[in-house]
Amino acid sequence: MNVLLLGSGGREHALAWKLAQSGRIEKLWAAPGNPGIGEHAELVAIDIADHRAVIDFCLRHSIGFVVIGPEAPLVAGLADNLRTMGVGVFGPNRLPAQLEGSKGFTKDLCAREKIPTAGYQRVESLDGALAALEDFDLPVVVKADGLAAGKGVTVAMSHEEAEEAVRAIFAEAGASAVIEEFLEGEEASLFVLTDGTHLVPFGSAQDHKRVGDGDTGPNTGGMGAYSPARVLTPALEREAIETIVRPTIEALARQGAPYSGVLYAGLMLTKQGPKLIEYNARFGDPECQVLMARLEGDLFEWMLAADKGTLGGKGEPVFSADTALCVVMAAKGYPGTPETGGAIQGVAHAPAVFQAGTRLEGGTLVASGGRVLAAVGVGPDVRAAQAAAYAQVDAIDFPTGFCRRDIGWREVAREGS
């Protein structure tokens, strides 16, 4: 089967690397891709926001299956349009993708289904938001109600900071927001594959959102991750699936909008049990990199089963018992305005590195975005995986880049105790 992978980040490089190992794929294409993805797939210059162009390419090149990496095309309904044309898709249709596209949609679904999550209020105006803040204790969480690439969340420690956050959101015309109570606990990410009826657990991870060592500075799209998240014990994972994930999938099916693809549940492990922070309608980045490093077997077979409704007969996927840890190398200035154009040397000597914001300029690899590279290490424990990942980082010459030097610190501390 000919397959088209959409996206250009580190997540898509990891997916391309894993998909290229499948014996079921005759030819793998990627749009728009990046130089790293180009090592595993033939790149094609398509604007993935142009649904007509994507469909035309699929028809001209006998594409039987499309893997949609990023969230924006899912929320925009690309999967619906492809399925209408008879093309298989890994990823949910537009309505179920609103689990990520609208935080308010998700919170309202949780309220209806009695899914454990933070108390909240949806607000549609600046005045309404300022009034709603009075109903919450500090700290308080302010979220833009839409896609924000992992950066539309403020954990406000003061009333002034909370007001600044809502004013920033409502400076945009047509904005809306969700204000939530602050949940205490440790975060973990749980992934499941579902065909709308059946679901299978698909690994866990913990990421590092803050830009600086010690979890300081502003939130980013993710500065590193490791898998598995051992704090999400088998018992807690089962509880999260039965009280959060399965009721969500069943509710969407009852609405006539079955969810197909990967569902990523961001969880807070509170004293009262797991609670939902948010859903994503795709693999995380950099969580995908560590999941793919541990997944054994054929990823494409699982994607096909999710689309065809046959997950119920496949059992459960097998992941290595090893730990995988990923360190993101970002361009200076990120998550603000990144410094692009910086030359990168040594990637060929660091083979376990996935490319994200890169391009070739006269044969030289240069930075073209905020998060540029993702170095992955694998080992029998987090400390070994961390050492392997930073060995990859240290083999790369990227003067205009930076990274955190403490990815995995919580698990390292637990292993040492």
Side-chain angles (χ1 to χ4, degrees), residues 6 25 27 115 131 139 149 164 177 181 308 319 344 358 402 405:
L6 301 182
I25 296 177
K27 178 153 187 177
I115 291 169
E164 181 181 343
E181 69 169 325
K308 293 180 179 298
F319 287 86
I344 305 164
T358 62
F402 74 97
R405 301 297 306 194

Side-chain angles (χ1 to χ4, degrees), residues 321-403:
D322 285 346
T323 294
L325 184 143
C326 172
V327 177
V328 169
M329 301 181 73
K332 289 178 180 176
Y334 181 76
T337 303
E339 183 178 336
T340 60
I344 305 164
Q345 305 288 341
V347 171
H349 304 297
V353 172
F354 296 111
Q355 296 183 35
T358 62
R359 70 173 186 269
L360 286 172
E361 202 170 84
T364 299
L365 192 68
V366 302
S368 65
R371 292 185 297 167
V372 180
L373 303 171
V376 176
V378 178
D381 55 33
V382 170
R383 193 180 298 274
Q386 184 189 58
Y390 281 109
Q392 303 278 331
V393 169
D394 294 337
I396 294 170
D397 181 19
F398 180 25
T400 60
F402 74 97
C403 68

Side-chain angles (χ1 to χ4, degrees), residues 24-268:
R24 295 285 303 276
I25 296 177
E26 295 176 31
K27 178 153 187 177
L28 180 62
W29 302 77
N34 65 40
I37 295 171
E39 297 175 6
H40 309 287
E42 182 170 335
L43 303 186
V44 56
I46 300 175
D47 177 2
I48 63 175
D50 184 342
H51 295 192
R52 183 74 260 170
V54 173
I55 291 169
D56 286 348
F57 180 86
C58 291
L59 297 178
R60 288 198 312 272
H61 294 87
S62 301
I63 301 294
F65 199 83
V66 176
V67 178
I68 302 177
E71 61 273 24
L74 295 168
V75 173
L78 177 57
D80 308 63
N81 292 336
L82 286 164
R83 288 185 170 114
T84 296
M85 299 303 295
V87 179
V89 183
F90 183 74
N93 284 348
R94 184 195 63 80
L95 196 152
Q98 297 309 305
L99 286 177
E100 178 166 6
S102 169
K103 295 174 179 63
F105 174 92
T106 298
K107 299 297 285 192
D108 288 351
L109 184 150
C110 289
R112 289 195 305 272
E113 302 298 323
K114 297 181 173 54
I115 291 169
T117 187
Y120 75 103
Q121 286 192 41
R122 294 183 71 171
V123 289
E124 306 291 336
S125 68
L126 175 59
D127 288 344
L130 293 174
L133 286 175
E134 301 301 318
D135 296 332
F136 289 84
D137 295 329
L138 293 173
V140 63
V141 182
V142 179
K143 297 181 177 180
D145 186 17
L147 296 179
K151 294 174 280 190
V153 178
T154 299
V155 179
M157 308 305 291
S158 67
H159 288 294
E160 292 76 16
E161 188 180 3
E163 289 186 9
E164 181 181 343
V166 298
R167 290 184 189 279
I169 290 171
F170 286 100
E172 300 288 334
S176 59
V178 172
I179 298 174
E180 293 184 1
E181 69 169 325
F182 177 77
L183 295 178
E184 292 191 21
E186 191 165 343
E187 292 188 37
S189 301
L190 172 63
F191 298 83
V192 302
L193 294 188
T194 177
D195 56 16
T197 302
H198 311 97
L199 68 86
V200 294
F202 210 71
S204 65
Q206 283 188 289
D207 73 341
H208 297 67
K209 285 290 187 190
R210 300 282 187 170
V211 73
D213 285 7
D215 292 328
T216 58
N219 273 335
T220 71
M223 293 300 293
Y226 54 91
S227 174
R230 290 185 173 83
V231 69
L232 187 65
T233 64
L236 286 174
E237 179 177 302
R238 286 193 297 271
E239 182 179 352
I241 287 174
E242 296 306 323
T243 63
I244 297 173
V245 178
R246 193 181 303 279
T248 300
I249 292 168
E250 291 176 348
L252 289 169
R254 287 198 307 272
Q255 293 178 34
Y259 189 106
S260 170
V262 61
L263 183 57
Y264 162 4
L267 305 173
M268 185 68 78

